[in-house]
């Protein structure tokens, strides 16, 4: 019998890509999602797979299933979505973690927590390494996500110490690729949609702030490898250390798409980090993992995905 894997948030961007890869690895996969930001469209190609199930459920409520592994990915991850209902965002991170940890304790499952680089806040050290405790605003507009994820990490490590639970905590840096939502408000999806429609490209500030972008295929391989190896609980940074300014990113997307879009500048959002770059030495040493997809190649694949999506919407297919 195949090992049973639960993926919460399995219809979202990362979750749907993870479900697909887990099936390819020979696991039975149970996808749980309340479809707040996830979509069944992300799973159309695997819905008929006999080793795949999908369950509509909100993890702020207890879940009773029998599984061997849990990947806890459920939580809106883009500012537009997590700030729309900040109380629910915090509940998803905190109550959701309590419920999934309780399930893991009951069935003795190994459990993975999709944490985030946002636990570092607007960092005072660069690049960010796992030993850094962060620089966050606990009462700002982003706190529902940042502090929710920080509290979830606290719960995971308390269950690890108190109940000897087998946990894995990954701090995920900016990730992009197919199955991103067009309206999620994240910079790569925003720029690509604007470029493909020849609309003005929205640049916040002067675009001098930096980010580091990891292609989704590389990220998912890191998730699975982290769960498979005996590497301890983490936390571990997962991301691509190649740093780029947002202005350079906009220029690159305009160049690849051949867009006629012009740049329009708007004020920086509150608490928007100025720099974001992972130190992935731990992932290299423990997981023997580092990203292999260049930004140019990853962007070309992502642009192709969004271009097909826009064309299908126009034709109504």
């Amino acid at each position: 019998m195949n090992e049973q894997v639960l993926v919460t948030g399995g219809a979202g961007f990362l979750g749907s890509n993870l479900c697909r890869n887990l099936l390819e690895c020979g696991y039975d996969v149970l996808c749980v999602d309340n479809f707040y930001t996830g979509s069944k469209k992300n799973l159309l190609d695997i819905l008929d797979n006999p080793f795949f199930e999908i369950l509509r459920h909100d993890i702020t409520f207890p879940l009773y299933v029998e599984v061997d592994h849990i990947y806890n990915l459920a939580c809106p991850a883009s500012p537009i979505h997590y700030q729309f209902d900040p109380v629910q965002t915090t509940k998803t991170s905190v109550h959701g973690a309590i419920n999934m940890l309780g399930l893991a304790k009951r069935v003795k499952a190994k459990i993975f927590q999709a944490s985030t680089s946002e636990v570092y806040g607007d960092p005072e050290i660069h690049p960010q390494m796992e030993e850094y405790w962060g620089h966050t605003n606990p009462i700002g507009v982003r706190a529902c996500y940042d502090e929710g994820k920080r509290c979830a990490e606290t719960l995971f490590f308390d269950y690890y110490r108190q109940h000897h639970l087998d946990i894995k905590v990954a701090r995920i840096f900016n990730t992009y690729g197919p199955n991103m939502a067009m309206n999620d408000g994240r910079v790569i999806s925003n720029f690509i949609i604007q470029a493909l429609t020849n609309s003005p490209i929205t640049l916040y500030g002067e675009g001098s702030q930096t980010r580091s972008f990891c292609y989704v295929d590389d990220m998912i391989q890191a998730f699975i490898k982290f769960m498979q190896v005996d590497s301890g609980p983490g936390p571990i940074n997962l991301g691509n250390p190649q740093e780029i300014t947002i202005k350079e990113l906009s220029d690159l997307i305009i160049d690849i798409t051949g867009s006629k879009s012009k740049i329009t500048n708007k004020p920086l959002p509150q608490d928007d980090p100025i720099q974001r770059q992972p130190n992935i030495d731990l992932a290299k040493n423990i997981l023997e993992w580092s990203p292999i997809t260049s930004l140019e190649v990853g962007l070309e694949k992502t642009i192709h995905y969004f271009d097909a999506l826009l064309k299908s919407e126009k034709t109504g297919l």
Side-chain angles (χ1 to χ4, degrees):
M1 182 178 177
N2 295 342
E3 289 186 305
Q4 312 290 312
V5 181
L6 165 65
V7 180
T8 73
F13 163 48
L14 289 176
S16 59
N17 280 285
L18 176 60
C19 287
R20 193 170 290 105
N21 274 264
L22 289 169
L23 289 169
E24 292 172 1
C25 291
Y27 293 101
D28 278 14
V29 177
L30 170 61
C31 164
V32 167
D33 207 298
N34 67 353
F35 300 105
Y36 175 60
T37 57
S39 172
K40 286 183 182 177
K41 290 181 179 179
N42 291 335
L43 302 165
L44 287 176
D45 60 317
I46 57 174
L47 284 177
D48 293 332
N49 189 309
F51 300 104
F52 179 72
E53 296 177 77
I54 188 166
L55 173 66
R56 183 186 293 269
H57 180 80
D58 185 331
I59 65 162
T60 62
F61 298 95
L63 178 65
Y64 301 98
V65 292
E66 302 296 322
V67 293
D68 302 297
H69 309 293
I70 301 168
Y71 288 84
N72 186 36
L73 275 58
C75 189
S78 72
I80 284 178
H81 292 145
Y82 68 62
Q83 290 174 16
F84 177 76
D85 189 347
V87 172
Q88 185 62 25
T89 296
T90 304
K91 287 172 68 175
T92 301
S93 285
V94 178
H95 293 187
I98 290 169
N99 288 328
M100 291 304 104
L101 287 162
L103 172 62
K105 180 187 172 191
R106 183 178 68 81
V107 300
K108 297 179 173 57
K110 183 185 297 186
I111 181 167
F112 173 101
Q113 168 65 5
S115 191
T116 171
S117 59
E118 299 295 340
V119 301
Y120 299 123
D122 188 3
E124 296 171 307
I125 66 165
H126 190 74
Q128 293 79 59
M129 57 188 65
E130 291 84 357
E131 292 81 7
Y132 179 51
W133 289 356
H135 176 229
T136 62
N137 177 2
I139 59 171
V141 295
R142 300 169 68 100
C144 58
Y145 185 70
D146 302 0
E147 299 296 339
K149 289 288 191 178
R150 285 165 70 91
C151 185
E153 285 196 14
T154 300
L155 287 162
F156 266 73
F157 275 88
D158 283 339
Y159 266 80
Y160 170 70
R161 287 183 287 259
Q162 186 173 341
H163 300 296
H164 310 292
L165 211 60
D166 193 353
I167 69 165
K168 302 282 186 176
V169 175
R171 291 175 177 164
I172 303 164
F173 284 68
N174 295 66
T175 308
Y176 70 99
N179 290 6
M180 293 183 81
M182 285 198 294
N183 63 343
D184 71 0
R186 284 186 270 199
V187 65
I188 283 187
S189 54
N190 273 2
F191 283 0
I192 290 175
I193 295 299
Q194 290 166 344
L196 288 173
T197 57
N198 292 309
S199 304
I201 286 185
T202 308
L203 200 63
Y204 293 98
E206 296 303 315
S208 59
Q209 65 271 40
T210 67
R211 295 293 184 270
S212 306
F213 297 101
C214 185
Y215 188 64
V216 65
D217 288 358
D218 294 333
M219 183 62 68
I220 296 304
Q221 289 306 308
F223 286 7
I224 295 172
K225 185 168 281 194
F226 190 21
M227 281 287 270
Q228 289 177 338
V229 303
D230 184 18
S231 59
I236 190 166
N237 287 339
L238 298 178
N240 191 325
Q242 179 189 354
E243 190 178 12
I244 185 173
T245 70
I246 300 303
K247 177 62 169 66
E248 289 170 337
L249 176 68
S250 67
D251 291 342
L252 183 56
I253 289 173
I254 288 172
D255 183 56
I256 294 173
T257 57
S259 176
K260 298 181 177 63
S261 293
K262 304 297 182 184
I263 301 294
T264 179
N265 295 85
K266 291 188 177 182
L268 275 172
Q270 181 185 336
D271 300 329
D272 194 49
I274 300 302
Q275 289 182 301
R276 185 57 59 73
Q277 181 191 24
N279 178 311
I280 62 167
D281 288 349
L282 203 58
K284 287 179 178 178
N285 294 335
I286 294 177
L287 305 182
E288 298 181 351
W289 172 89
S290 60
I292 59 174
T293 308
S294 70
L295 182 59
E296 290 77 7
V297 169
L299 284 175
E300 286 173 358
K301 292 180 178 181
T302 309
I303 288 165
H304 177 76
Y305 167 78
F306 278 117
D307 189 39
L309 207 58
L310 286 169
K311 287 174 180 174
S312 70
E313 285 200 350
K314 281 183 181 178
T315 58
L317 296 176

